[in-house]
Amino acid sequence: MAMESVEAVVAHIQGLSGSQEEVAHLHSLLKQSEDALRSQAARLGAFFHQLDPSVHTLGYLFLLEAYSSDPVCREQDGDFLLSIVEFINSCSAEQIRLAPEKFISVCKSFKDKVMQLQVPIQGIVPLRTAIRKLQASSEQLTTLHSDYLLLCLLAKCYKAGLSILDDDIFEVDQPRDLFLYCYYGGMINIGLKRYRKAWECLHNVITAPMTTLNAIAVEAYKKYILVSIILSGQVPLFPKYTSSTAQRNLKSHTQPYVDLANCYATGTFSELEGCIQTNLEKFQSDSNLGLVKQVLSSLYKRNIQRLTQTYLTLSLQDIANAAQLKTPREAEMHVLQMIQDGEIFATINQKDGMVSFHEDPEQYITCGMIEHIDSSIHRLMALSKKLGSLDEHMSCDPAYLTRIGKERPRFDFDEFDSVPHKFL
Amino acid sequence: MDLSPIQNAVASGSYATIADACDELMLQVASRGIAYQEDWPFTVHLLGHIFANDLNSARFLWKSIPQGFKESKPELVAAWRIGQCLWTRDYAGVYDAIRGFEWSPEVAGLVTAFSENYTKKMFQLLSSAYSTIGVADVAHFLGMSEDEATNYALQHGWTLDSSSKMLTVKKPKIITEQKLDPSKLQRLTEYVFHLEH
């Protein structure tokens, strides 16, 4: 097809956005006009007002993508951003999904622009809307997920990240998306002090399939070590399903952190402080100093918690000595804070200066607890069903069958073979 | 800028919803590229987070407020002082921060409600954490005079040993709901079915 003029393309868009068949036809016309649009990007700005983003979504998208790929057009700051926000808000999700790469490209230009102008907060609601429109379901991970979390981090609107982060993901298109999404997710959870959730996110990064080591996994492992210490006082071994690449290489790239974990295990405050001082610059340049400081203050808690395993009652003076605190009053305040945070079950007897440690009083028989267990079982059943159907799906997949067919030892032709011969 | 969702929440006393309303509205306004910071009710926003005991959000919000505002708005700084005391667990300092400022009518209701909540929560904490505690400390943690604190404690069933000025805590009875309804039977059947297949 000859090079179309922009006017002609716009006329097509206006005329062919009625039904699904029309839009499909329009789609092929637009694909043929891509070069024309790109070469005339500077002119496109004048045409947007002739189109309605909610009705002419697909056409508008092609124009917008050509426009935003042009560096000169991108310099039109304010209007450029607002027109994309407007588009995202009014576009039709159905039409968007016909050209997802173009939509993603527009959104990425948008994100780059808000970051360049240092107004990440401006991009949060639009990207959230964009994700919801792009996703086929809330279980699907898109490239935009990690961009969204990045903006939340930069704008310090951590809570805004949760609306996306709390979705359970079952489908991933691009492995790189998963790495970044889980890494940023870990950082958001750390900011919100949801350490268990942060641990899960970071765990996903380091145990994801990897043939070569990547920088995201290394950074994630650094934070993983710190969060593990804060949560449980130690760093767990790599689970069996961790890639051998990760198992062989992660530790050597994160030596200061591994050292810190070993130092923590000795339980001495001054030794830990010393270890931190030695590697201070490294922690700072990795932007992990805040987390490292939290590791330090968790040592008091860890030492006090250890006492509960040995003693039923202990004097405040003894607690102060064991936890390397200066006065019994300091010990009392630490214990009080741990009681407030639910990290310890104890009662302070000021008259005698003693603390009694208790068992967790939870009896697991209240209605509230039953509801909790109930919903957990429900989630597990749903997950189990999902895994079952994934398994079924995979056992019918030709690629999979070819693979196991090839790896099976060849016996007699008459040998009963459950893998059809065409896959061998 | 239409701030009515926030103003309505404040006026109707639904203080627990202020923080979320502020967060969402701020994101919406920012997405339209409006320079919202000049007229934004930061003090109400901050106090909303403090009321909901969401100190993380309060800290992040404080960090994002332009330096100039922090210098020119004393009420904002006073509100932050409450948050700071909560964050550093300066239990008594919270009361000083609340009482040390003449709050504007806009936020006075919110601050008072927070103060009452906080006193109750502190008392609950003391009840669960202590078996015996000195009168001076109770007064310190509840932000009351020793006499007021003693009366408050006695009203809740604690006992006083005047010679040693020690209060003995009475643990509140925990009433736990244990009724089950028939739909639970349906659920149990589903679980057994699932496990058997």
Coordinates of all heavy atoms in Angstrom, one line a residue, chain A residues 82 85 121-122 124-126 128 156-160 191-193 329 332-333 336-337 339-341 346-352 365-367 370-371 374 377-378 381 384-385, chain B residues 20 23-24 26-28 30-33 36 49 54 56-57 60 63 87 89 91 125 128-134 137 141 166 171 176-180 184 187 190-191 194:
Chain A
L82 N -0.7 15.2 30.0 CA -2.1 15.2 30.2 C -2.9 14.4 29.1 O -3.8 13.8 29.4 CB -2.6 16.6 30.2 CG -2.2 17.4 31.5 CD1 -2.7 18.8 31.5 CD2 -2.8 16.6 32.8
V85 N -2.6 10.8 30.0 CA -3.5 10.5 31.1 C -5.0 10.4 30.7 O -5.7 9.5 31.0 CB -3.4 11.6 32.2 CG1 -4.4 11.3 33.4 CG2 -2.0 11.5 32.8
I121 N 4.8 11.1 41.4 CA 3.4 10.9 42.0 C 2.4 11.1 40.9 O 1.3 10.6 41.0 CB 3.3 11.9 43.2 CG1 2.0 11.5 43.9 CG2 3.2 13.3 42.7 CD1 1.9 12.2 45.2
Q122 N 2.7 11.9 39.9 CA 1.7 12.2 38.8 C 1.4 10.9 38.0 O 0.3 10.8 37.5 CB 2.3 13.3 37.9 CG 1.2 13.8 36.9 CD 1.7 15.0 36.2 OE1 2.7 15.6 36.5 NE2 1.0 15.4 35.2
I124 N 1.2 7.7 39.2 CA 0.7 6.6 39.9 C -0.7 6.2 39.5 O -0.9 5.0 39.0 CB 0.8 6.8 41.4 CG1 2.2 6.9 41.8 CG2 0.1 5.7 42.2 CD1 2.5 7.1 43.3
V125 N -1.7 7.1 39.6 CA -3.1 6.7 39.3 C -3.2 6.2 37.8 O -3.8 5.2 37.5 CB -4.1 7.8 39.6 CG1 -5.4 7.6 38.9 CG2 -4.3 7.8 41.1
P126 N -2.6 7.0 36.8 CA -2.7 6.6 35.4 C -2.1 5.2 35.2 O -2.8 4.4 34.5 CB -1.9 7.6 34.7 CG -1.9 8.8 35.5 CD -2.0 8.3 36.9
R128 N -1.8 2.8 37.3 CA -2.7 1.8 38.0 C -3.9 1.5 37.1 O -4.2 0.3 36.8 CB -3.2 2.3 39.3 CG -4.0 1.4 40.1 CD -4.3 2.0 41.5 NE -5.3 3.0 41.4 CZ -5.6 3.8 42.4 NH1 -5.0 3.8 43.5 NH2 -6.6 4.8 42.2
K156 N 7.5 7.8 47.2 CA 7.3 7.5 48.6 C 5.8 7.2 48.9 O 5.3 7.4 50.0 CB 7.8 8.5 49.5 CG 9.3 8.7 49.4 CD 10.0 9.2 50.6 CE 11.4 9.6 50.5 NZ 12.2 8.8 49.6
C157 N 5.0 6.8 47.9 CA 3.6 6.4 48.2 C 3.6 4.9 48.2 O 3.0 4.2 47.4 CB 2.7 6.9 47.1 SG 2.7 8.7 47.0
Y158 N 4.2 4.4 49.3 CA 4.3 2.9 49.3 C 3.0 2.2 49.4 O 2.8 1.1 48.8 CB 5.1 2.5 50.6 CG 6.6 2.9 50.5 CD1 7.0 4.2 50.6 CD2 7.6 1.9 50.3 CE1 8.3 4.6 50.5 CE2 8.9 2.3 50.3 CZ 9.3 3.6 50.3 OH 10.6 3.9 50.3
K159 N 2.1 2.8 50.2 CA 0.8 2.1 50.3 C 0.0 1.9 49.0 O -0.7 0.9 48.8 CB -0.1 2.8 51.3 CG -0.6 1.9 52.4 CD -1.1 2.7 53.7 CE -2.5 3.1 53.6 NZ -3.0 3.7 54.8
A160 N 0.3 2.9 48.1 CA -0.4 2.8 46.8 C 0.0 1.5 46.1 O -0.7 1.0 45.2 CB -0.1 4.0 46.0
G191 N 9.6 -1.0 53.1 CA 9.2 0.3 53.5 C 8.0 0.3 54.4 O 7.9 1.2 55.3
L192 N 7.1 -0.6 54.2 CA 5.9 -0.7 55.0 C 6.1 -1.6 56.2 O 5.2 -1.8 56.9 CB 4.7 -1.3 54.2 CG 4.3 -0.4 53.0 CD1 3.3 -1.1 52.1 CD2 3.6 0.9 53.6
K193 N 7.3 -2.1 56.4 CA 7.7 -2.9 57.5 C 6.9 -4.2 57.5 O 6.6 -4.8 58.5 CB 7.6 -2.2 58.8 CG 8.4 -1.0 58.9 CD 9.0 -0.8 60.2 CE 9.9 0.5 60.3 NZ 10.9 0.6 59.3
R329 N 15.8 -0.3 83.8 CA 14.7 0.5 83.2 C 14.7 0.4 81.7 O 13.6 0.3 81.1 CB 14.9 2.0 83.6 CG 13.8 2.9 83.1 CD 12.5 2.7 83.7 NE 11.5 3.7 83.4 CZ 10.2 3.6 83.8 NH1 9.8 2.6 84.5 NH2 9.4 4.6 83.5
E332 N 13.2 -2.8 80.9 CA 11.8 -2.7 81.0 C 11.1 -2.1 79.8 O 10.1 -2.6 79.3 CB 11.4 -1.9 82.3 CG 10.0 -2.0 82.7 CD 9.7 -1.1 83.9 OE1 10.6 -0.9 84.7 OE2 8.5 -0.6 83.9
M333 N 11.7 -1.0 79.3 CA 11.1 -0.3 78.2 C 11.2 -1.2 76.9 O 10.2 -1.3 76.1 CB 11.8 1.0 77.9 CG 11.5 2.1 78.9 SD 9.7 2.4 79.0 CE 9.2 1.7 80.6
L336 N 8.5 -3.8 77.3 CA 7.2 -3.2 77.1 C 6.9 -3.1 75.6 O 5.8 -3.4 75.1 CB 7.1 -1.9 77.8 CG 5.8 -1.1 77.7 CD1 4.7 -2.0 78.4 CD2 5.9 0.2 78.4
Q337 N 7.9 -2.6 74.9 CA 7.7 -2.4 73.4 C 7.5 -3.7 72.7 O 6.7 -3.8 71.8 CB 8.9 -1.7 72.8 CG 9.0 -0.2 73.1 CD 10.3 0.4 72.6 OE1 10.9 -0.1 71.7 NE2 10.7 1.5 73.3
I339 N 6.1 -6.3 74.0 CA 4.8 -6.8 74.3 C 3.8 -6.0 73.5 O 2.9 -6.6 72.9 CB 4.5 -6.5 75.8 CG1 5.4 -7.4 76.7 CG2 3.0 -6.8 76.1 CD1 5.2 -7.1 78.2
Q340 N 4.0 -4.7 73.3 CA 3.1 -3.9 72.5 C 3.1 -4.4 71.1 O 2.0 -4.4 70.4 CB 3.6 -2.4 72.6 CG 2.6 -1.5 71.9 CD 3.1 0.0 72.0 OE1 4.3 0.2 72.1 NE2 2.2 0.9 71.9
D341 N 4.3 -4.8 70.5 CA 4.3 -5.3 69.2 C 4.0 -6.8 69.0 O 4.1 -7.3 67.9 CB 5.7 -5.1 68.6 CG 6.1 -3.6 68.5 OD1 5.2 -2.8 68.5 OD2 7.3 -3.3 68.4
A346 N 4.7 -11.7 77.9 CA 5.3 -11.5 79.3 C 4.5 -10.6 80.1 O 3.7 -9.8 79.6 CB 6.7 -11.0 79.1
T347 N 4.8 -10.6 81.4 CA 4.2 -9.7 82.3 C 5.3 -9.1 83.2 O 6.1 -9.9 83.7 CB 3.1 -10.3 83.2 OG1 2.3 -11.2 82.4 CG2 2.3 -9.3 83.9
I348 N 5.3 -7.8 83.4 CA 6.3 -7.1 84.2 C 5.8 -6.9 85.6 O 4.7 -6.4 85.8 CB 6.7 -5.8 83.6 CG1 7.1 -6.0 82.1 CG2 7.8 -5.1 84.4 CD1 7.3 -4.6 81.4
N349 N 6.5 -7.3 86.6 CA 6.1 -7.1 88.0 C 7.1 -6.0 88.5 O 8.2 -6.3 88.9 CB 6.3 -8.4 88.7 CG 5.8 -8.2 90.1 OD1 5.8 -7.2 90.7 ND2 5.3 -9.3 90.7
Q350 N 6.6 -4.7 88.5 CA 7.5 -3.7 88.9 C 7.9 -3.8 90.4 O 9.0 -3.4 90.8 CB 6.9 -2.3 88.7 CG 7.4 -1.6 87.4 CD 7.0 -0.2 87.4 OE1 6.5 0.4 88.3 NE2 7.2 0.4 86.2
K351 N 7.0 -4.2 91.2 CA 7.2 -4.3 92.7 C 8.5 -5.1 92.9 O 9.3 -4.8 93.7 CB 6.0 -4.9 93.4 CG 6.0 -4.6 94.8 CD 4.6 -4.9 95.4 CE 4.4 -6.4 95.5 NZ 3.2 -6.8 96.3
D352 N 8.6 -6.3 92.3 CA 9.7 -7.2 92.5 C 10.8 -7.0 91.5 O 11.9 -7.6 91.5 CB 9.3 -8.6 92.5 CG 8.2 -8.9 93.5 OD1 8.2 -8.2 94.5 OD2 7.4 -9.8 93.2
I365 N -9.5 -21.3 69.3 CA -10.9 -21.8 69.4 C -11.9 -20.7 69.2 O -13.1 -20.9 69.2 CB -11.2 -22.5 70.7 CG1 -10.8 -21.6 71.9 CG2 -10.4 -23.8 70.7 CD1 -11.2 -22.3 73.2
T366 N -11.4 -19.4 69.0 CA -12.4 -18.3 68.9 C -13.0 -18.3 67.5 O -12.4 -18.9 66.5 CB -11.8 -17.0 69.1 OG1 -10.7 -16.8 68.1 CG2 -11.2 -16.9 70.5
C367 N -14.1 -17.7 67.3 CA -14.7 -17.6 66.0 C -13.8 -16.9 65.0 O -13.7 -17.3 63.9 CB -16.1 -16.8 66.1 SG -17.5 -17.8 66.3
I370 N -11.2 -19.2 63.8 CA -11.8 -20.3 62.9 C -12.0 -19.7 61.5 O -11.7 -20.3 60.5 CB -13.1 -20.8 63.5 CG1 -12.8 -21.6 64.7 CG2 -13.9 -21.6 62.5 CD1 -14.0 -22.2 65.4
E371 N -12.5 -18.4 61.5 CA -12.7 -17.8 60.2 C -11.3 -17.7 59.4 O -11.2 -18.0 58.2 CB -13.1 -16.3 60.4 CG -14.6 -16.2 60.7 CD -15.5 -16.7 59.5 OE1 -15.1 -16.6 58.4 OE2 -16.5 -17.2 59.9
D374 N -10.3 -21.1 58.2 CA -11.2 -21.4 57.2 C -10.8 -20.8 55.8 O -10.7 -21.5 54.8 CB -12.6 -20.8 57.6 CG -13.7 -21.7 57.0 OD1 -13.5 -22.9 56.8 OD2 -14.8 -21.1 56.8
I377 N -7.7 -22.4 54.4 CA -7.9 -23.7 53.8 C -8.6 -23.5 52.4 O -8.2 -24.2 51.4 CB -8.9 -24.6 54.7 CG1 -8.1 -24.9 56.0 CG2 -9.2 -25.9 53.9 CD1 -8.9 -25.8 56.9
H378 N -9.5 -22.5 52.3 CA -10.1 -22.2 51.1 C -9.1 -21.8 50.0 O -9.1 -22.3 48.9 CB -11.1 -21.1 51.3 CG -12.5 -21.5 51.0 ND1 -13.3 -22.2 51.8 CD2 -13.2 -21.4 49.8 CE1 -14.5 -22.5 51.3 NE2 -14.5 -22.0 50.1
M381 N -7.2 -24.8 48.8 CA -7.9 -25.6 47.9 C -8.0 -25.0 46.5 O -7.8 -25.7 45.5 CB -9.4 -25.8 48.5 CG -9.4 -26.9 49.6 SD -11.0 -26.9 50.4 CE -12.2 -27.1 49.2
S384 N -4.6 -25.5 45.0 CA -4.5 -26.9 44.6 C -5.2 -27.2 43.3 O -4.6 -27.9 42.4 CB -5.0 -27.8 45.8 OG -5.1 -29.1 45.4
K385 N -6.4 -26.7 43.2 CA -7.1 -26.9 41.9 C -6.4 -26.3 40.8 O -6.3 -26.9 39.7 CB -8.5 -26.3 42.0 CG -9.5 -27.1 42.7 CD -11.0 -26.7 42.3 CE -12.0 -27.3 43.2 NZ -12.2 -26.6 44.5
Chain B
D20 N -7.1 7.4 54.2 CA -7.3 6.8 52.9 C -7.9 7.8 51.9 O -7.5 7.9 50.8 CB -8.2 5.6 53.0 CG -7.5 4.4 53.6 OD1 -6.3 4.4 53.6 OD2 -8.2 3.5 54.1
D23 N -5.1 10.1 50.9 CA -4.2 9.5 50.0 C -4.7 9.4 48.6 O -4.0 9.8 47.6 CB -3.9 8.0 50.5 CG -2.9 8.0 51.6 OD1 -2.2 9.0 51.8 OD2 -2.9 7.0 52.3
E24 N -5.9 8.9 48.4 CA -6.5 8.7 47.1 C -6.7 10.0 46.4 O -6.4 10.1 45.2 CB -7.8 7.9 47.2 CG -8.5 7.5 45.9 CD -7.6 6.7 45.0 OE1 -6.8 5.9 45.5 OE2 -7.8 6.8 43.7
M26 N -5.2 12.8 46.8 CA -3.9 13.4 46.4 C -3.3 12.8 45.2 O -2.8 13.5 44.3 CB -2.9 13.2 47.6 CG -1.6 14.0 47.4 SD -0.7 14.2 48.9 CE 0.3 12.7 48.9
L27 N -3.4 11.4 45.0 CA -3.0 10.8 43.8 C -3.8 11.2 42.6 O -3.2 11.5 41.5 CB -3.1 9.2 44.0 CG -2.1 8.6 45.0 CD1 -2.4 7.1 45.0 CD2 -0.7 8.9 44.6
Q28 N -5.1 11.3 42.8 CA -6.0 11.7 41.7 C -5.6 13.1 41.2 O -5.4 13.4 40.0 CB -7.4 11.7 42.1 CG -8.0 10.4 42.4 CD -8.3 9.6 41.2 OE1 -8.2 10.1 40.0 NE2 -8.6 8.3 41.4
A30 N -2.8 14.8 41.7 CA -1.5 14.8 41.2 C -1.5 14.3 39.7 O -0.7 14.8 38.9 CB -0.5 14.0 42.0
S31 N -2.3 13.3 39.4 CA -2.3 12.8 38.1 C -2.7 13.8 37.0 O -2.4 13.6 35.9 CB -3.2 11.5 38.0 OG -4.5 11.9 38.0
R32 N -3.5 14.8 37.5 CA -3.9 15.8 36.5 C -2.9 16.9 36.4 O -3.2 17.9 35.8 CB -5.3 16.3 37.0 CG -6.4 15.4 36.6 CD -7.8 15.9 37.0 NE -8.3 15.0 38.0 CZ -8.9 15.3 39.1 NH1 -9.1 16.6 39.4 NH2 -9.4 14.4 39.9
G33 N -1.8 16.7 37.0 CA -0.7 17.7 36.8 C -0.9 19.0 37.6 O -0.3 20.0 37.3
Y36 N -0.8 20.8 43.5 CA -1.7 20.8 44.6 C -1.1 21.2 45.9 O -1.8 21.5 46.9 CB -2.3 19.4 44.7 CG -1.2 18.4 45.1 CD1 -0.9 18.1 46.4 CD2 -0.4 17.7 44.1 CE1 0.1 17.2 46.7 CE2 0.6 16.9 44.4 CZ 0.8 16.6 45.7 OH 1.8 15.7 46.0
H49 N -3.3 10.0 59.4 CA -2.4 8.8 59.5 C -2.1 8.5 61.0 O -2.1 7.3 61.4 CB -1.1 9.0 58.8 CG -1.2 8.9 57.3 ND1 -1.8 7.8 56.7 CD2 -0.8 9.7 56.3 CE1 -1.7 7.9 55.4 NE2 -1.1 9.1 55.1
D54 N -0.9 4.7 61.6 CA -0.1 4.3 60.4 C 1.1 5.2 60.4 O 1.1 6.2 59.7 CB -0.9 4.4 59.2 CG -0.2 3.9 58.0 OD1 1.0 3.6 58.1 OD2 -0.8 3.9 56.9
N56 N 4.2 4.7 59.5 CA 5.0 4.6 58.3 C 4.5 5.7 57.3 O 5.3 6.5 56.7 CB 4.9 3.3 57.6 CG 5.7 2.2 58.4 OD1 6.8 2.5 58.8 ND2 5.1 1.1 58.6
S57 N 3.2 5.7 57.0 CA 2.6 6.6 56.1 C 2.8 8.0 56.5 O 3.1 8.9 55.7 CB 1.1 6.4 55.8 OG 0.9 5.1 55.3
F60 N 6.4 9.0 55.7 CA 6.6 9.3 54.3 C 6.0 10.6 53.9 O 6.6 11.3 53.1 CB 6.1 8.1 53.5 CG 6.9 6.8 53.7 CD1 6.2 5.6 53.9 CD2 8.3 6.8 53.7 CE1 6.9 4.4 54.1 CE2 9.0 5.6 54.0 CZ 8.3 4.4 54.1
K63 N 8.1 13.4 55.0 CA 9.3 13.6 54.1 C 9.0 14.3 52.8 O 9.8 14.9 52.2 CB 9.9 12.2 53.8 CG 10.7 11.6 55.0 CD 11.5 10.4 54.5 CE 12.0 9.6 55.7 NZ 12.4 8.3 55.4
W87 N 6.5 7.5 67.2 CA 7.5 6.7 66.5 C 8.6 6.3 67.4 O 9.1 5.1 67.3 CB 8.0 7.5 65.3 CG 9.0 6.8 64.5 CD1 10.4 7.1 64.4 CD2 8.9 5.7 63.6 NE1 11.0 6.2 63.5 CE2 10.1 5.4 63.0 CE3 7.7 4.9 63.2 CZ2 10.3 4.3 62.1 CZ3 7.9 3.9 62.3 CH2 9.2 3.6 61.8
R89 N 8.4 6.0 70.5 CA 7.8 5.4 71.7 C 8.1 6.2 73.0 O 8.3 5.7 74.0 CB 8.4 4.0 72.0 CG 8.4 3.2 70.7 CD 7.3 2.1 70.7 NE 7.8 1.1 69.7 CZ 7.4 -0.1 69.6 NH1 6.3 -0.4 70.3 NH2 7.9 -0.9 68.7
Y91 N 6.2 7.6 75.2 CA 4.8 7.5 75.5 C 4.2 8.7 76.2 O 3.1 9.2 75.8 CB 4.6 6.3 76.5 CG 5.0 5.0 75.9 CD1 6.0 4.2 76.4 CD2 4.2 4.4 74.8 CE1 6.4 3.0 75.8 CE2 4.6 3.2 74.2 CZ 5.7 2.5 74.8 OH 6.0 1.3 74.2
L125 N -2.6 -1.5 77.2 CA -1.2 -2.0 77.2 C -0.7 -2.3 78.6 O -0.1 -3.3 78.8 CB -0.3 -1.0 76.4 CG 1.2 -1.4 76.4 CD1 1.4 -2.7 75.7 CD2 2.0 -0.3 75.7
S128 N -2.2 -5.4 80.1 CA -1.7 -6.7 79.6 C -0.2 -6.9 79.9 O 0.2 -8.0 79.9 CB -1.9 -6.8 78.1 OG -1.2 -5.8 77.4
A129 N 0.5 -5.8 80.1 CA 2.0 -5.9 80.2 C 2.5 -6.0 81.7 O 3.5 -6.5 81.9 CB 2.7 -4.8 79.5
Y130 N 1.7 -5.5 82.6 CA 2.1 -5.4 84.0 C 1.2 -6.2 84.9 O 0.0 -6.3 84.7 CB 2.1 -4.0 84.4 CG 3.3 -3.1 83.9 CD1 3.1 -2.4 82.7 CD2 4.5 -3.1 84.5 CE1 4.2 -1.7 82.2 CE2 5.5 -2.4 84.0 CZ 5.4 -1.7 82.8 OH 6.4 -0.9 82.3
S131 N 1.9 -6.8 86.0 CA 1.1 -7.4 87.0 C 1.0 -6.4 88.2 O 0.0 -6.2 88.9 CB 1.6 -8.7 87.5 OG 3.0 -8.5 87.9
T132 N 2.2 -5.7 88.4 CA 2.2 -4.6 89.4 C 2.9 -3.4 88.7 O 3.9 -3.6 88.1 CB 2.8 -4.9 90.7 OG1 4.2 -5.2 90.4 CG2 2.2 -6.1 91.4
I133 N 2.5 -2.2 89.0 CA 3.2 -1.1 88.5 C 3.0 0.1 89.4 O 2.0 0.3 90.0 CB 2.6 -0.8 87.0 CG1 3.3 0.5 86.4 CG2 1.1 -0.6 87.1 CD1 3.0 0.7 85.0
G134 N 4.0 0.9 89.5 CA 4.0 2.1 90.4 C 3.1 3.2 89.9 O 2.8 3.3 88.7
D137 N 4.5 5.7 87.4 CA 4.6 5.3 86.0 C 3.2 5.3 85.3 O 3.1 5.7 84.2 CB 5.2 3.8 86.0 CG 6.7 3.9 85.8 OD1 7.2 4.9 85.3 OD2 7.3 2.8 86.1
F141 N 2.5 7.2 81.9 CA 2.0 6.6 80.7 C 0.6 7.1 80.3 O 0.3 7.0 79.1 CB 2.0 5.1 80.8 CG 3.3 4.4 80.8 CD1 3.7 3.6 81.8 CD2 4.2 4.7 79.8 CE1 5.0 3.0 81.8 CE2 5.5 4.1 79.7 CZ 5.9 3.2 80.8
M166 N 2.0 1.2 94.9 CA 2.0 0.3 93.8 C 0.6 -0.1 93.5 O -0.2 -0.3 94.4 CB 2.7 -1.0 94.3 CG 4.2 -1.0 94.1 SD 4.6 -1.2 92.3 CE 6.3 -0.6 92.3
K171 N -6.6 -8.0 85.4 CA -6.7 -8.3 83.9 C -8.1 -8.3 83.5 O -9.0 -8.9 84.2 CB -6.1 -9.7 83.6 CG -4.7 -9.9 84.0 CD -3.7 -9.3 83.0 CE -2.3 -9.5 83.4 NZ -1.4 -8.8 82.6
T176 N -14.7 -14.4 74.6 CA -14.5 -14.9 73.2 C -15.7 -15.5 72.7 O -16.4 -16.3 73.4 CB -13.3 -15.9 73.2 OG1 -13.6 -16.9 74.1 CG2 -12.0 -15.3 73.5
E177 N -16.1 -15.2 71.5 CA -17.2 -15.8 70.8 C -16.9 -17.2 70.4 O -15.9 -17.4 69.8 CB -17.5 -15.0 69.6 CG -18.9 -14.2 69.6 CD -19.2 -13.7 68.3 OE1 -19.8 -14.5 67.5 OE2 -18.8 -12.6 67.9
Q178 N -17.8 -18.1 70.7 CA -17.5 -19.4 70.3 C -18.7 -20.1 69.6 O -18.7 -21.3 69.5 CB -17.1 -20.3 71.5 CG -15.7 -20.0 71.9 CD -15.2 -20.9 73.0 OE1 -15.4 -22.1 72.9 NE2 -14.5 -20.4 73.9
K179 N -19.7 -19.3 69.2 CA -20.8 -19.9 68.6 C -20.4 -20.3 67.1 O -19.8 -19.6 66.4 CB -22.0 -19.0 68.5 CG -23.0 -19.2 69.7 CD -24.2 -18.4 69.5 CE -24.0 -16.9 69.2 NZ -25.0 -16.3 68.4
L180 N -20.9 -21.5 66.7 CA -20.6 -21.8 65.3 C -22.0 -21.9 64.6 O -23.0 -22.3 65.2 CB -20.0 -23.2 65.2 CG -18.5 -23.3 65.8 CD1 -18.0 -24.7 65.6 CD2 -17.6 -22.3 65.0
K184 N -20.8 -23.9 58.7 CA -19.5 -24.5 58.9 C -19.5 -25.9 58.6 O -18.6 -26.5 58.1 CB -19.1 -24.3 60.4 CG -18.9 -22.9 60.8 CD -17.6 -22.3 60.2 CE -17.3 -20.9 60.6 NZ -18.0 -19.9 59.8
R187 N -18.9 -26.3 55.0 CA -17.5 -26.2 54.7 C -16.7 -27.4 55.0 O -15.8 -27.8 54.2 CB -16.9 -25.0 55.5 CG -17.6 -23.7 55.3 CD -16.8 -22.9 54.3 NE -16.7 -21.5 54.8 CZ -16.1 -20.6 54.3 NH1 -15.5 -20.8 53.2 NH2 -16.1 -19.4 54.8
E190 N -17.0 -29.9 52.4 CA -16.2 -29.6 51.2 C -14.7 -30.0 51.4 O -14.1 -30.5 50.5 CB -16.2 -28.1 50.9 CG -17.5 -27.6 50.2 CD -17.6 -26.1 50.2 OE1 -16.5 -25.4 50.2 OE2 -18.7 -25.6 50.1
Y191 N -14.2 -29.7 52.6 CA -12.8 -30.0 52.9 C -12.6 -31.5 52.8 O -11.6 -31.9 52.1 CB -12.4 -29.6 54.3 CG -12.5 -28.1 54.5 CD1 -12.5 -27.6 55.8 CD2 -12.5 -27.2 53.5 CE1 -12.5 -26.2 56.0 CE2 -12.6 -25.8 53.7 CZ -12.6 -25.4 55.0 OH -12.7 -24.0 55.2
H194 N -12.6 -32.6 49.3 CA -11.3 -32.2 48.6 C -10.2 -33.1 48.9 O -9.4 -33.5 48.1 CB -11.0 -30.8 48.9 CG -9.8 -30.2 48.3 ND1 -9.8 -29.7 47.1 CD2 -8.5 -30.2 48.8 CE1 -8.5 -29.3 46.8 NE2 -7.7 -29.6 47.8

